[in-house]
Amino acid sequence: MSFQNFTEEQIESLLNLGDDQSSGPKVKKAQFTRFTPPKVEETRENINFLNDVELEFKVELGTASISLREVLNLHEEQVLPLNRIAGDTVDVKINNVWLAHGEVLVLNEVLGIRISSFSRDEEIWSRGAK
């Protein structure tokens, strides 16, 4: 038996099995209250407890490949050449996940990083950042 061509009244009359009250409860359509989503301002949670979570901040200045012999012969004040040159951008990572590009600065004889970009656009990639 196919119910595709039945009207709503025909289906209701089949389910109710007549109008006899003594035969049991009638089947009725479910009625739901209208759903109203909560306002965004009311659902914001305070995440200030995350302010003290420590993260590993890493800046990759460059890399160099050297042999074990060269490692064993290292001495104080020796300079190791890296694969980047002055003016190249550096990668800024948080917990080993790329975050931004930056520039190395020297402030009062202390190294620092100035964030230059949070996007991976082609200009920055072409200047040497990986």
Side-chain angles (χ1 to χ4, degrees):
M1 174 183 265
S2 172
F3 291 101
Q4 292 177 347
N5 297 328
F6 277 82
T7 64
E8 190 173 325
E9 291 83 21
Q10 290 171 326
I11 294 172
E12 190 174 310
S13 69
L14 284 172
L15 291 174
N16 287 332
L17 302 174
D19 289 339
D20 188 6
Q21 296 287 340
S22 62
S23 65
K26 290 190 172 202
V27 177
K28 295 183 179 179
K29 274 189 176 180
Q31 295 182 351
F32 300 99
T33 58
R34 179 166 220 91
F35 175 73
T36 54
K39 294 181 181 177
V40 175
E41 293 79 29
E42 295 175 16
T43 60
R44 288 189 182 162
E45 294 184 28
N46 187 351
I47 60 170
N48 288 339
F49 66 94
L50 295 175
N51 288 343
D52 293 328
V53 173
E54 300 235 351
L55 301 171
E56 180 181 275
F57 182 85
K58 186 186 291 187
V59 177
E60 185 178 295
L61 296 175
T63 59
S65 295
I66 60 174
S67 67
L68 180 57
R69 178 182 311 269
E70 292 170 310
V71 171
L72 294 174
N73 291 327
L74 286 176
H75 55 82
E76 286 184 20
E77 298 185 19
Q78 184 172 350
V79 176
L80 293 174
L82 300 176
N83 64 344
R84 300 256 176 101
I85 59 173
D88 276 353
T89 57
V90 292
D91 295 326
V92 178
K93 297 178 180 181
I94 301 291
N95 288 349
N96 286 326
V97 176
W98 183 90
L99 174 69
H101 293 293
E103 304 171 43
V104 179
L105 303 176
V106 179
L107 305 168
N108 298 329
E109 299 182 16
V110 176
L111 285 177
I113 302 296
R114 178 186 333 183
I115 302 298
S116 59
S117 173
F118 285 100
S119 67
R120 294 181 165 205
D121 61 10
E122 291 302 317
E123 176 200 348
I124 291 173
W125 288 106
S126 66
R127 291 195 326 223
K130 295 179 182 175

